[in-house]
Amino acid sequence: MAIGFPKSGTTSLTRSLETSGLKAAHWQDDKYRFVGQLIYHAVVNGLDPFAHLQGYDAITQADVCLPRRGMNYWPNLDFAVLRAIRRAHPTCLFVLNYRRPEAICESLMNWRGMQTRLERSEIPGLPAGAGATREQLVTWIENHFDACRAYFATDDRFIEIDIESPDVPQQLGRALGIQIKGWADHKPDAIVPGA
């Protein structure tokens, strides 16, 4: 499960995992249901966090932030949910998909009203009303990265990948025990102008 931010290689990760033979849920499932909403529904009802995502091998983007539709789910940033996932799935690989915080911020600010949606929403680490400035967004991103590194410091089923590094396929392959194919075929979000 990817536990970084949107605009941080999640599409590239999805395509590469699928090229490598895994089935990934990215933002929505095959029935166009939001992954984050499905995870929260399961957790608050005492179910396996992935109860509504049977048949998937990976969750590459779980967050959804559409306040006008009443959708605001961030299981990838919520340590209570991450803990529930770890309890239910001791071997689940948590992947911190790292990208420079300034680059994530820039992409979030340029993506379809995302900054406004973030500012309106109550998000782990970013209360409603915050997120209007680059500085606030960068601090939020940095704080999450630091929290992940501390929380998972002794967890051998946690890796951090820098999506701009050429070593991503090797790192993921070692952690998953498979050969990762297609990473070079899918230009990571990190280097797509205006991503």
Side-chain angles (χ1 to χ4, degrees):
M1 177 170 173
I3 57 172
F5 290 86
K7 312 311 296 171
S8 297
T10 59
T11 300
S12 298
L13 181 59
T14 302
R15 291 176 181 160
S16 186
L17 291 175
E18 290 183 342
T19 300
S20 303
L22 301 179
K23 185 171 182 181
H26 181 263
W27 199 58
Q28 293 180 315
D29 70 357
D30 292 338
K31 298 176 184 174
Y32 302 102
R33 300 176 300 177
F34 294 107
V35 172
Q37 184 179 27
L38 295 173
I39 292 173
Y40 271 104
H41 180 271
V43 170
V44 300
N45 286 292
L47 303 173
D48 178 325
F50 299 146
H52 305 304
L53 293 161
Q54 298 298 315
Y56 288 93
D57 301 304
I59 308 299
T60 53
Q61 185 173 343
D63 53 84
V64 56
C65 186
L66 300 169
R68 287 187 182 170
R69 294 178 58 182
M71 300 282 180
N72 183 42
Y73 300 100
W74 294 81
N76 47 310
L77 306 186
D78 187 332
F79 286 92
V81 173
L82 298 179
R83 183 177 171 126
I85 293 169
R86 174 53 78 229
R87 276 195 311 269
H89 299 276
T91 61
C92 176
L93 180 67
F94 288 106
V95 178
L96 180 58
N97 44 310
Y98 176 85
R99 182 183 183 197
R100 289 179 305 103
E102 297 79 11
I104 297 172
C105 176
E106 190 67 29
S107 288
L108 292 174
M109 293 177 78
N110 290 321
W111 182 257
R112 301 180 183 175
M114 188 69 176
Q115 183 178 10
T116 302
R117 288 185 273 143
L118 295 173
E119 190 179 351
R120 290 181 182 163
S121 303
E122 190 72 33
I123 302 169
L126 190 72
T133 67
R134 283 177 175 12
E135 293 77 16
Q136 290 174 343
L137 290 174
V138 167
T139 298
W140 171 53
I141 295 162
E142 289 173 339
N143 287 343
H144 177 67
F145 288 159
D146 289 344
C148 285
R149 292 171 184 137
Y151 186 83
F152 291 105
T154 60
D155 191 325
D156 63 358
R157 296 301 294 157
F158 166 79
I159 63 167
E160 179 174 342
I161 59 168
D162 181 337
I163 65 162
E164 295 181 356
S165 169
D167 297 332
V168 168
Q170 293 79 16
Q171 288 179 287
L172 277 175
R174 277 193 304 273
L176 292 171
I178 64 171
Q179 182 180 1
I180 298 295
K181 303 172 185 173
W183 182 259
D185 300 338
H186 308 294
K187 190 177 261 189
D189 296 346
I191 54 175
V192 176

